Amino acid sequence: MDLRTTVSLLLLLLLGLCHAEEDSYHDADNEIRVDPSDTEELTKTILRMNNGSSDFLLEGDVMIPTTRNAMKCLQGANSCLWPKSANGNVEVPYVLSDSYDNTDVSEIQSAMKSIQSQTCIRFIPHRNQVAYLSLEPRYGCASLMGRTGGKQVVSLQRFGCISAGIIQHELLHSLGFYHEHTRSDRDTYIKINWDNINEVFVNNFQKQDTNNLNTPYDYSSIMHYGRTAFAKPGLDSITPIPDSSVPIGQRTDLSEIDILRINKLYQC
């Protein structure tokens, strides 16, 4: 084998390795993995799934749009709300990626139906509406904040993000809700253990200028992160006060106050 042939083969081999590495990153859903989401706390699942994402994610799973600053989308800001239809319902058009299988579709639609059954929110198939949700199995679990006015992606990666609590969590972001632990009055109800948080992640705990809709602080909200979110190994980043034993970070379904808050925000 002459030198030219040897060099050509080596270049082809290196090119193949580069493509293999790229495919393993972008096509993560093609891997066969055990889904730990049945036992893992919602926060840990979301942050683990988003680890390595190329998107800039506020508070771990909130995408920053290019058309406006997500920080300006406050709970109650009409520009970020989905409009009411003549029938009194809030219709949110959506499309599901063809990459989801029947089990995925069933889980997503079940999570939507749970929201619909207790509010005036209605997720409807997209037809020709300009603004709509596009649920796609991209890398991680993430969503934009509120209605952006065009196609907005809700990222729900398969084998990790397809569970009722995570789906509802991301859908509530798309309806305009921040995380519960960053609401404006949170310091009365939780202590942020700043020393336990890696300095790279402290910005994820900045309070937001939220409209709390005259509703109580909700430790059981589907939007509340768990005790160890962004914490250094073996430490807690969030401690409930005055009772530190209060459970936080549930991952099962909307809480009663989550439902109340949706109905108040959208005047159901």
Side-chain angles (χ1 to χ4, degrees):
M1 184 181 295
D2 60 28
L3 180 60
R4 181 179 297 178
T5 303
T6 301
V7 171
S8 297
L9 288 173
L10 286 173
L11 287 174
L12 286 172
L13 177 61
L14 288 173
L15 183 61
L17 288 173
C18 289
H19 281 305
E21 182 177 351
E22 181 179 332
D23 289 343
S24 69
Y25 177 81
H26 292 290
D27 296 329
D29 287 339
N30 291 331
E31 301 174 11
I32 299 175
R33 302 190 299 278
V34 175
D35 180 6
S37 60
D38 288 340
T39 57
E40 188 174 56
E41 180 212 78
L42 181 146
T43 305
K44 289 184 178 180
T45 303
I46 290 177
L47 298 183
R48 175 177 55 78
M49 294 300 295
N50 290 346
N51 184 28
S53 171
S54 59
D55 293 316
F56 177 78
L57 299 175
L58 177 70
E59 298 176 12
D61 70 332
V62 179
M63 297 180 191
I64 301 298
T66 57
T67 54
R68 60 165 169 76
N69 186 342
M71 300 296 287
K72 296 297 184 183
C73 183
L74 306 181
Q75 293 173 7
N78 291 332
S79 62
C80 296
L81 299 184
W82 296 83
K84 260 191 176 179
S85 302
N87 60 16
N89 291 327
V90 177
E91 296 183 344
V92 182
Y94 76 96
V95 294
L96 290 179
S97 169
D98 292 337
S99 297
Y100 289 124
D101 65 18
N102 291 337
T103 301
D104 299 329
V105 171
S106 178
E107 190 74 18
I108 292 170
Q109 291 181 338
S110 177
M112 288 179 168
K113 287 177 182 177
S114 181
I115 296 174
Q116 292 178 157
S117 68
Q118 304 169 93
T119 70
C120 62
I121 305 297
R122 297 293 181 270
F123 296 99
I124 62 172
H126 174 253
R127 298 187 185 280
N128 57 1
Q129 300 93 336
V130 175
Y132 66 98
L133 301 180
S134 179
L135 281 67
E136 304 175 10
R138 295 191 181 188
Y139 195 101
C141 327
S143 174
L144 291 162
M145 180 70 68
R147 179 178 179 270
T148 63
K151 172 186 174 180
Q152 61 186 85
V153 173
V154 177
S155 179
L156 294 170
Q157 185 176 334
R158 302 183 64 220
F159 309 111
C161 300
I162 305 299
S163 67
I166 291 177
I167 296 165
Q168 290 178 346
H169 182 101
E170 301 307 338
L171 288 176
L172 259 62
H173 279 319
S174 72
L175 292 175
F177 289 93
Y178 277 109
H179 293 124
E180 186 73 358
H181 61 278
T182 62
R183 62 183 261 174
S184 57
D185 62 349
R186 64 103 185 273
D187 290 336
T188 304
Y189 305 97
I190 60 172
K191 176 186 177 185
I192 303 300
N193 303 308
W194 298 102
D195 292 340
N196 294 350
I197 303 167
N198 188 305
E199 61 182 12
V200 175
F201 302 124
V202 294
N203 63 304
N204 293 304
F205 293 90
Q206 299 303 319
K207 286 189 294 185
Q208 308 299 337
D209 184 16
T210 54
N211 173 6
N212 299 320
L213 302 166
N214 294 316
T215 58
Y217 190 88
D218 187 10
Y219 296 107
S220 63
S221 172
I222 201 74
M223 305 306 290
H224 204 307
Y225 269 7
R227 295 173 182 272
T228 62
F230 298 102
K232 297 173 184 176
L235 300 175
D236 288 351
S237 56
I238 302 174
T239 302
I241 52 178
D243 183 0
S244 61
S245 66
V246 172
I248 60 173
Q250 65 93 7
R251 55 175 305 284
T252 307
D253 202 350
L254 299 176
S255 70
E256 291 184 3
I257 297 177
D258 284 332
I259 297 164
L260 172 64
R261 204 167 286 154
I262 296 171
N263 287 329
K264 288 193 116 184
L265 180 60
Y266 281 94
Q267 299 179 2
C268 293

